[in-house]
Amino acid sequence: MKQKVLNWAQAFNTFCFLDNHQYHIKPHILECIVAAGSKRQISANAGNALNGLQQFIDKKRSWLFGHLSYDLKNELESFSSNHPDKIQFPDLFFFEPEIMIRLNEKEMIIESDEPKEIFDAITTLPLVRKGQTQDASIIKNRIQKEEYLSIIRQLQEHILRGDCYEINFCQEFYAEQAFLDPVAVYKKLVDISPNPFSALYRTDDKWLICASPERFLMKKRNTVLSQPIKGTSKRITDNKQEDEKGKK
């Protein structure tokens, strides 16, 4: 049923499809959720974007889906970024969906003015949808090998001098004039690497495909939870916590 819901959702210019592929990582809340269509939305770049978002939230409490870009840091601190931005997502975008669908192993819940019509539209769609993707050989690296190695050596010197103790250095891989079907790419990705925090997200002609095994942040009342896959703290399982309690 998830595949049919995804095939149905892609007809909307704005939608967000979130699936955890039955990884019940605590705290487990939802198996799959889909937000489609936009009742209202906010789009802004760093400057006064966060204040604008807060006003948008305060105006009406509702489900909101969207993204916060890394470059919002420029609004919080005296930073600037000069990296090329070929995709041009806004630094901030959120929307209140027209239709909400929640799925688990036993039921599908549709929040909409016409839930039966939506259910009929989804269930009558064919399960298989063919998509075209271009060869992966078109993907290029933004930093060439010699420059990359030079940067690594400079970063190693920073660590040796004690300027910093941990560095997360990344580079962009990109393709230009590529022809692909984002939905087909997403399906292929999660077939190869099913994960607890996958996402397919669309705003007009911009698409984001995510296959992440980590929860960045979750806030519930006064508790903030982060479940990263990297860092300096030991991972403590529930069993270990119970053992520690038993020793006490």
Side-chain angles (χ1 to χ4, degrees):
M1 184 58 74
K2 288 182 186 178
Q3 297 299 321
K4 286 194 172 187
V5 172
L6 179 54
N7 289 346
W8 165 84
Q10 67 181 291
F12 291 83
N13 287 334
T14 302
F15 79 86
C16 185
F17 181 89
L18 306 173
D19 188 7
N20 74 8
H21 299 281
Q22 298 182 334
Y23 281 88
H24 290 188
I25 293 177
K26 295 181 180 179
H28 178 66
I29 300 173
L30 294 169
E31 168 62 20
C32 179
I33 188 167
V34 186
S38 176
K39 290 183 179 178
R40 61 189 185 110
Q41 61 190 48
I42 179 173
S43 177
N45 290 320
N48 197 36
L50 293 174
N51 285 337
L53 176 60
Q54 189 60 59
Q55 293 172 15
F56 185 77
I57 293 170
D58 293 341
K59 187 174 182 179
K60 180 186 176 185
R61 294 284 172 168
S62 62
W63 281 95
L64 294 177
F65 294 79
H67 71 268
L68 301 171
S69 167
Y70 181 75
D71 278 343
L72 283 174
K73 71 184 189 306
N74 301 337
E75 185 173 309
L76 302 173
E77 302 288 346
S78 297
F79 294 141
S80 62
S81 301
N82 299 311
H83 301 297
D85 180 8
K86 302 294 185 179
I87 301 176
Q88 297 185 339
F89 269 92
D91 291 339
L92 179 154
F93 181 88
F94 281 87
F95 71 98
E96 178 188 350
E98 294 176 348
I99 303 162
M100 280 273 299
I101 300 175
R102 282 173 282 177
L103 291 161
N104 59 36
E105 294 87 346
K106 298 179 180 179
E107 63 182 357
M108 174 166 51
I109 300 169
I110 300 174
E111 298 180 32
S112 169
D113 293 336
E114 302 291 346
K116 184 180 184 306
E117 285 77 357
I118 292 168
F119 179 80
D120 291 343
I122 292 170
T123 53
T124 55
L125 280 174
L127 181 60
V128 179
R129 180 184 180 277
K130 293 182 179 180
Q132 293 180 319
T133 60
Q134 192 160 326
D135 192 287
S137 63
I138 62 172
I139 297 176
K140 305 174 184 177
N141 48 310
R142 184 67 68 183
I143 305 173
Q144 299 306 307
K145 181 178 179 180
E146 288 306 316
E147 182 185 0
Y148 181 86
L149 293 176
S150 175
I151 294 171
I152 291 295
R153 288 190 287 269
Q154 293 175 46
L155 295 177
Q156 289 173 331
E157 289 297 323
H158 280 296
I159 293 174
L160 288 172
R161 287 198 301 267
D163 300 334
C164 50
Y165 66 91
E166 182 175 323
I167 297 171
N168 185 10
F169 175 57
C170 304
Q171 71 159 310
E172 178 187 10
F173 290 84
Y174 69 99
E176 295 178 322
Q177 304 300 319
F179 176 77
L180 55 82
D181 180 339
V183 177
V185 172
Y186 170 78
K187 289 179 179 179
K188 186 175 181 180
L189 177 63
V190 297
D191 283 345
I192 296 170
S193 179
N195 55 83
F197 301 105
S198 72
L200 181 62
Y201 171 57
R202 178 185 185 183
T203 63
D204 295 325
D205 62 341
K206 297 175 177 61
W207 296 75
L208 185 148
I209 300 171
C210 171
S212 176
E214 63 182 332
R215 174 185 274 126
F216 181 52
L217 288 174
M218 173 183 172
K219 179 179 180 294
K220 187 174 182 180
R221 299 184 181 91
N222 294 324
T223 301
V224 175
L225 173 68
S226 179
Q227 294 173 305
I229 59 172
K230 60 186 176 184
T232 55
S233 296
K234 281 188 175 182
R235 182 186 292 272
I236 301 175
T237 64
D238 290 339
N239 291 336
K240 185 173 180 180
Q241 288 176 329
E242 291 300 321
D243 289 343
E244 292 297 326
K245 288 179 182 177
K247 291 176 183 178
K248 293 178 181 179

